Amino acid sequence: MERLLEVTDLSAGYGAVTVLRGVDIHLDAGESIGLFGPNGHGKTTLLKTISGLIRPTAGAIRFSGNDITKARPSNIVNAGLIHSPQGNTLFGDMQVHETLELASIAKRAKGGSRKNLKSVFELFPRLEERRTQKARTLSGGERQMLSIGCALMCVPKLLMLDEPTLGLSPRLKKELAAAVGDIAKSGVPLVVVEQDVEFLMALTDRLYMIEHGEVVREIDKANAPDHEEVMKLYFGEVSH
Amino acid sequence: MIDTLIATLVSGLVLGSLYALMASGLSVVWTTLGVFNFAHGALMMIGAFLAWTLVEPVGLPLPVGILCGALGAAALGIVIERLLVRPYYGNRNMLLITVMTTLAAMIIMEKGAQMIWGARLKQLPRLIDGEISIASATISAHEAVMILLAPLVLAAIWAFTVRTNIGRSLRAVGQNQDSAALIGINVPFAFALAFGLSAALAGLTGALLGSIRFITPAMGADPLTKAMIVVIFGGLGSLGATAGAAYLIGLIEAILVLWLGLYWTPFVLFLIMIVVLVFRPNGIFGGNQ
């Protein structure tokens, strides 16, 4: 089976602080994966390293058969690997529609800009209502919608979502989760970072548990179909 | 009395146009990179010398000279960004370091111009000969062109940064570099573009100014100082605020020259700026962020 994403023995960090130590994860064509584990253990750093914001100190990243370990973020986006970051504040002074249109600046997205804008507005009608509002004046949930909307404007071949429902009210969380479910159903493979294991289990085929910058466990849904079992693993692992 | 007033207004408008052209370039670099480019005045001077070289010794038409002056300054601006600004991105003291490196660029360019073009005063011909009289005030047709051109250039920059994706990318990079990179914006390219555009504006201003002032290696110093006053006075970041402040400062300066004379004008100008910043630290048109 074709490997869409392959991360091999990846180490990275911030200056003298090493966060990731030899991480191996992969994603085959046609599947989605989830990353979970305690806060501050390297999940966000892993996504940032894959998308080129952080230079790895060792290891390799391959996407769609190409080595992207040292690629520039804009080139990674243009290859179709899109990262919607956590708690994204985007561009405070920029209007919603400007931001979305700008997100189609990559060569791969230019042609379909108008059509994609329409489908983003269909997925998030609230963004259309707020289209001339500046990003700074949006609520947390709306900002999250805008961030995911931007990622969709880039025409993802693989979409990485970092805690898309973090800090949202239960009602909004449901709304966002449904939208992410729609994206998955439309055939876009996902890499999702989430604390909510139930949400992850529903969305993805395999889970990686990340602790202290390492993959400590890989869980195939076929082997651990019950999210409660996963929760047991999770808390059993954390409490020692 | 009315005549003097009109003359002062017109002279304020000429100064305001000059400052608007200079300050908008400075503001583009500031909003995109968060850097104050102290070489901005020297880039303006280079634009004037390049235009002069192409028009006087070489003999090309003046509009071609002005265009090449702007393009040459843009190229030099991109080189400055690459060599003296880019190595310090991500450095915690980037703002202070680039103050020094761009000051160094200014000194190198001023001394270089002195070596290449010598100390003899130079001047470009005017775009349009003749004079225009408004009531009793008389300005050269060339100054009238500057007055008309400045708002057009400002409107073009505004349209570029609001209506086009490539222009919007400059604003995006200035506000959130990581997010800009993650939606596919080539951040280093945006930095180079901002510097090039800003330097082109400086070169254009220099080439236009070369027809009404003498072209000397130090001709950029005063416009640079004024442009900085304008950008800070208006409130860092917004093009509209910068443009408004440019005309306001130009007008205040014209009134001060009439009222107090040239000698005391810079002093009072700085005094006004300090007082304004005490009460409105974000500039006279700046929001409260």
Side-chain angles (χ1 to χ4, degrees), chain A residues 64-224:
Chain A
S64 228
N66 299 312
D67 187 1
I68 58 160
T69 315
K70 289 188 176 124
R72 190 179 272 178
S74 53
N75 291 337
I76 294 174
V77 168
N78 204 36
L81 176 46
I82 314 299
H83 173 189
S84 168
Q86 183 184 68
N88 195 353
T89 47
L90 285 159
F91 320 113
D93 273 336
M94 214 173 274
Q95 295 175 2
V96 167
H97 78 99
E98 275 185 297
T99 313
L100 289 168
E101 282 162 25
L102 178 58
S104 62
I105 194 168
K107 225 175 280 154
R108 67 179 286 106
K110 240 172 222 165
S113 178
R114 192 163 296 181
K115 194 185 92 224
N116 296 334
L117 187 64
K118 222 178 123 203
S119 53
V120 168
F121 281 155
E122 268 165 27
L123 187 65
F124 299 119
R126 199 171 322 195
L127 288 184
E128 187 162 26
E129 288 164 28
R130 306 256 188 275
R131 63 191 304 281
T132 57
Q133 231 169 284
K134 287 187 174 176
R136 140 151 31 83
T137 66
L138 298 178
S139 71
E142 288 159 354
R143 284 180 199 192
Q144 197 59 57
M145 291 174 192
L146 183 57
S147 177
I148 296 174
C150 279
L152 293 175
M153 291 299 289
C154 298
V155 194
K157 219 159 130 186
L158 172 61
L159 177 56
M160 304 195 289
L161 298 171
D162 196 351
E163 306 220 25
T165 65
L166 183 76
L168 300 184
S169 70
R171 193 176 55 83
L172 263 174
K173 196 170 165 172
K174 233 172 149 181
E175 204 177 318
L176 255 297
V180 173
D182 284 350
I183 295 169
K185 255 180 256 155
S186 75
V188 178
L190 303 174
V191 176
V192 188
V193 169
E194 257 292 345
Q195 302 290 343
D196 184 340
V197 175
E198 192 172 358
F199 175 54
L200 265 190
M201 293 286 281
L203 213 57
T204 60
D205 306 288
R206 270 183 315 120
L207 300 182
Y208 289 99
M209 181 162 161
I210 293 179
E211 245 180 65
H212 302 294
E214 291 171 53
V215 174
V216 292
R217 186 167 260 118
E218 187 185 335
I219 300 156
D220 204 315
K221 217 155 78 171
N223 304 333

Side-chain angles (χ1 to χ4, degrees), chain A residues 48 51 53 72-75 77-78 82-85 88-95 97-99 101-106 113 136 150-151 154, chain B residues 82 86 158 161-189 237-238 289:
Chain A
K48 281 185 173 176
S51 55
L53 292 180
R72 190 179 272 178
S74 53
N75 291 337
V77 168
N78 204 36
I82 314 299
H83 173 189
S84 168
N88 195 353
T89 47
L90 285 159
F91 320 113
D93 273 336
M94 214 173 274
Q95 295 175 2
H97 78 99
E98 275 185 297
T99 313
E101 282 162 25
L102 178 58
S104 62
I105 194 168
S113 178
R136 140 151 31 83
C150 279
C154 298
Chain B
R82 189 74 192 78
R86 194 175 296 187
W158 179 85
T161 54
V162 171
R163 296 258 183 268
T164 72
N165 267 353
I166 187 97
R168 284 169 180 163
S169 75
L170 298 188
R171 290 157 63 207
V173 166
Q175 290 175 42
N176 192 337
Q177 269 178 43
D178 278 358
S179 289
L182 290 181
I183 58 170
I185 293 168
N186 186 339
V187 175
F189 174 77
S238 139
Q289 290 171 25

Side-chain angles (χ1 to χ4, degrees), chain B residues 58-186:
Chain B
V58 178
L60 292 174
L62 182 60
V64 177
I66 292 175
L67 188 70
C68 291
L71 291 178
L76 207 52
I78 290 170
V79 171
I80 291 173
E81 189 273 335
R82 189 74 192 78
L83 296 181
L84 297 174
V85 181
R86 194 175 296 187
Y88 308 106
Y89 289 140
N91 189 308
R92 214 158 13 119
N93 300 315
M94 176 173 155
L95 186 58
L96 284 176
I97 293 173
T98 51
V99 165
M100 287 187 277
T101 55
T102 55
L103 264 176
M106 176 190 95
I107 294 166
I108 292 167
M109 281 191 280
E110 285 190 358
K111 300 301 172 196
Q114 184 102 40
M115 283 168 67
I116 295 169
W117 285 289
R120 199 167 55 85
L121 296 175
K122 294 169 179 62
Q123 199 159 28
L124 279 163
R126 296 176 175 197
L127 266 174
I128 306 171
D129 280 326
E131 288 176 337
I132 292 173
S133 294
I134 305 160
S136 64
T138 307
I139 55 166
S140 66
H142 186 90
E143 285 171 308
V145 170
M146 281 182 72
I147 291 176
L148 293 177
L149 197 64
L152 287 180
V153 169
L154 288 175
I157 302 173
W158 179 85
F160 176 65
T161 54
V162 171
R163 296 258 183 268
T164 72
N165 267 353
I166 187 97
R168 284 169 180 163
S169 75
L170 298 188
R171 290 157 63 207
V173 166
Q175 290 175 42
N176 192 337
Q177 269 178 43
D178 278 358
S179 289
L182 290 181
I183 58 170
I185 293 168
N186 186 339

Side-chain angles (χ1 to χ4, degrees), chain B residues 13-91:
Chain B
L13 213 54
V14 174
L15 285 173
S17 312
L18 167 66
Y19 299 159
L21 287 170
M22 280 296 278
S24 55
L26 212 53
S27 162
V28 164
V29 163
W30 170 263
T31 48
T32 312
L33 293 94
V35 160
F36 245 110
N37 178 15
F38 278 83
H40 198 65
L43 286 165
M44 171 194 141
M45 172 272 295
I46 294 288
F49 270 115
L50 284 177
W52 178 85
T53 306
L54 291 175
V55 171
E56 292 296 333
V58 178
L60 292 174
L62 182 60
V64 177
I66 292 175
L67 188 70
C68 291
L71 291 178
L76 207 52
I78 290 170
V79 171
I80 291 173
E81 189 273 335
R82 189 74 192 78
L83 296 181
L84 297 174
V85 181
R86 194 175 296 187
Y88 308 106
Y89 289 140
N91 189 308

